[in-house]
Amino acid sequence: MKTTERVLNALQRVKELLSLISDWTKQPKEEDLLTKEFREKKLKMIEDLYKQLGELNDRYMFNHNSEFATKEYIVQYDELKKKIYDLEK
């Protein structure tokens, strides 16, 4: 192989790699309806879990002596945080 042929082959491979990279990194222009709806419902669930977490914290801070013990609070808190973590993955 001559040097010019090697250079031309290398340039062709570089062009192919660049086109593959650009195709791979492109975001889809339009999402399908199912994916969009799934993401919105997932965000709504996360938002609801954060509200539940806030309510749990308020309940513990202001009523913890009469309503429930610290151990129960920690168990519920850990369950909510685990659910949030799993949804945010």
Side-chain angles (χ1 to χ4, degrees):
M1 244 183 178
K2 295 183 180 180
T3 305
T4 55
E5 290 176 1
R6 282 193 223 158
V7 170
L8 291 175
N9 285 339
L11 286 175
Q12 183 63 32
R13 287 191 304 246
V14 168
K15 286 180 185 178
E16 290 173 4
L17 287 173
L18 289 175
S19 67
L20 286 173
I21 290 170
S22 68
D23 289 343
W24 185 54
T25 57
K26 278 185 187 174
Q27 297 295 329
K29 291 185 179 178
E30 53 183 68
E31 297 179 18
D32 61 359
L33 187 59
L34 186 61
T35 304
K36 185 176 180 182
E37 183 179 340
F38 176 74
R39 187 176 66 240
E40 288 173 359
K41 288 190 183 230
K42 187 175 166 182
L43 289 174
K44 177 68 173 146
M45 288 173 63
I46 291 171
E47 182 180 323
D48 290 343
L49 287 171
Y50 274 116
K51 286 179 184 176
Q52 290 177 18
L53 194 60
E55 291 170 0
L56 178 69
N57 286 334
D58 286 345
R59 205 170 85 198
Y60 177 73
M61 294 299 277
F62 298 113
N63 302 333
H64 74 280
N65 289 334
S66 61
E67 193 171 333
F68 60 98
T70 303
K71 182 178 180 181
E72 295 173 34
Y73 165 76
I74 292 172
V75 169
Q76 291 178 11
Y77 180 85
D78 287 341
E79 287 174 3
L80 287 173
K81 288 300 276 185
K82 184 179 184 299
K83 288 179 185 177
I84 291 171
Y85 176 76
D86 288 343
L87 285 173
E88 287 179 340
K89 279 195 222 178

